[in-house]
Amino acid sequence: MDIKIRHWEALRALQSLELQIEQYRLHIKELSAHPTEAARAQAELKKLLDGHAVQRTYCDLLAKEQQAVTRKNGLHAA
């Protein structure tokens, strides 16, 4: 059960990052007349994208672990 909760929480964190990334992309478009602020926003966007990649990997690992537990439990039930 713990793995399901961790996976669900990881997916929620991933969705939150996706929303933040989209907001930064829109914000950067609005800052075209302010190059310094746009550069700061680009740097923050890069951090968010890096964090998203890490979170995606974590979600994938949890999903694989959850599948393994499900298969293992299925074998024991048979």
Side-chain angles (χ1 to χ4, degrees):
M1 185 66 143
D2 182 49
I3 186 74
K4 287 183 180 183
I5 293 170
R6 288 188 308 159
H7 187 231
W8 182 78
E9 289 173 346
L11 287 172
R12 288 200 49 181
L14 185 67
Q15 290 172 341
S16 176
L17 282 168
E18 289 168 351
L19 288 173
Q20 289 178 40
I21 288 167
E22 186 59 30
Q23 289 173 338
Y24 264 88
R25 285 182 173 149
L26 293 172
H27 183 61
I28 289 167
K29 287 179 184 179
E30 295 171 354
L31 291 174
S32 60
H34 306 281
T36 303
E37 291 299 319
R40 286 185 193 153
Q42 285 282 4
E44 189 61 31
L45 177 60
K46 181 175 178 348
K47 289 179 192 175
L48 288 171
L49 290 169
D50 291 345
H52 181 270
V54 170
Q55 189 68 25
R56 167 54 60 202
T57 300
Y58 180 62
C59 286
D60 292 345
L61 290 172
L62 287 174
K64 287 179 185 177
E65 185 178 340
Q66 187 174 355
Q67 288 172 350
V69 168
T70 301
R71 279 193 300 262
K72 179 181 170 189
N73 289 340
L75 290 175
H76 289 294

